[in-house]
Amino acid sequence: MNTYYTVQSKYTSSIINGIATHEMGHALGLDHSNSTSSVMFPYTFYSDGSLARTTTSPGSDDKAALASLYGHLAIAPQSDVSANPDVKSDNIVMLHPSWAVGYKDIQSLAKDADMIIEGTIEHSKLKKNAPDDFLSYKTEHTIQITDVLKGDRSFKHSSMSFNQLGGIDSYASVTYDTGTLLHKGDHVILFLRKDDNGEYSLINENDSIFFAGDLTKKEYKYLKNNEKFTKDQIQAKIK
Ligand SMILES: [Zn+2]
């Protein structure tokens, strides 16, 4: 648990209980659910302060998912357990973060963004603390900015860097279920937040990526829900 958030008074013991149950669900193999009655709903609060995950215990969807994962376990041969390959041999790691704050719409996301930029990824560099510290994997992208939709307009036609969670190197491939690792040449509109160290990062990963593939395409796909937008439509929501 991220104690930066959980020490705040709005995190009652019931809400913390819900987060713990959510993380236990992941440990048992459950993915996120879009249903607000599921304890696997990925957000704790909405940006307006209202409660997003309204349950602290497994819902009927969660129980059904667990039953399909483990319902047959009693008759599975024990030898399967020892036959499992060593996880380290392939090092493909998928992480399932739950976000402290969810956004009901693009307007509320824009409000929390320090910069909203349009640009093309120029190059990317992996940063990590230790080889097997998968949670520390971050990718630092440098982006050539074609337009600033919110924030310091002097960045226009220059480049800046920002961090994305996860990354790939010769040791491991670390990805997030609610993230999409960007690559050189990707043309995007991004919602960025500046942290206490002055570094920029995406707000909730896919929640903050509008993806156009390349400059010739005039349509942006919102990676949160695959909705299509023109730049004008996105700009109209920012004002
Ligand atoms: Zn989660």
Side-chain angles (χ1 to χ4, degrees), residues 120-160:
T120 306
I121 304 292
E122 281 185 318
H123 51 87
S124 309
K125 184 176 83 185
L126 184 86
K127 300 198 286 190
K128 62 180 177 182
N129 293 337
D132 56 356
D133 184 359
F134 300 129
L135 285 172
S136 77
Y137 269 59
K138 276 183 200 168
T139 302
E140 184 185 78
H141 298 287
T142 304
I143 183 168
Q144 177 68 33
I145 298 173
T146 48
D147 200 3
V148 175
L149 285 63
K150 181 184 175 183
D152 186 348
R153 313 238 162 214
S154 68
F155 278 95
K156 191 169 171 172
H157 303 309
S158 65
S159 63
M160 69 176 283

Side-chain angles (χ1 to χ4, degrees), residues 22-23 26 32 96-98:
H22 175 102
E23 301 307 337
H26 284 310
H32 284 146
H96 305 262
S98 29

Side-chain angles (χ1 to χ4, degrees), residues 55-141:
T55 179
T56 62
S57 56
S60 53
D61 290 3
D62 303 320
K63 288 175 187 169
L66 285 171
S68 75
L69 279 173
Y70 296 105
H72 60 284
L73 200 66
I75 55 166
Q78 282 297 311
S79 58
D80 277 7
V81 176
S82 57
N84 275 349
D86 179 9
V87 178
K88 286 210 161 194
S89 62
D90 50 295
N91 280 334
I92 292 173
V93 181
M94 166 78 88
L95 298 171
H96 305 262
S98 29
W99 309 114
V101 178
Y103 297 93
K104 287 175 178 169
D105 48 46
I106 296 167
Q107 286 87 342
S108 53
L109 180 72
K111 227 163 102 182
D112 263 14
D114 295 308
M115 282 199 77
I116 302 172
I117 54 169
E118 178 195 43
T120 306
I121 304 292
E122 281 185 318
H123 51 87
S124 309
K125 184 176 83 185
L126 184 86
K127 300 198 286 190
K128 62 180 177 182
N129 293 337
D132 56 356
D133 184 359
F134 300 129
L135 285 172
S136 77
Y137 269 59
K138 276 183 200 168
T139 302
E140 184 185 78
H141 298 287

Side-chain angles (χ1 to χ4, degrees), residues 43-65:
Y43 304 106
T44 304
F45 288 100
Y46 289 115
S47 58
D48 63 10
S50 63
L51 199 58
R53 185 183 304 109
T54 53
T55 179
T56 62
S57 56
S60 53
D61 290 3
D62 303 320
K63 288 175 187 169

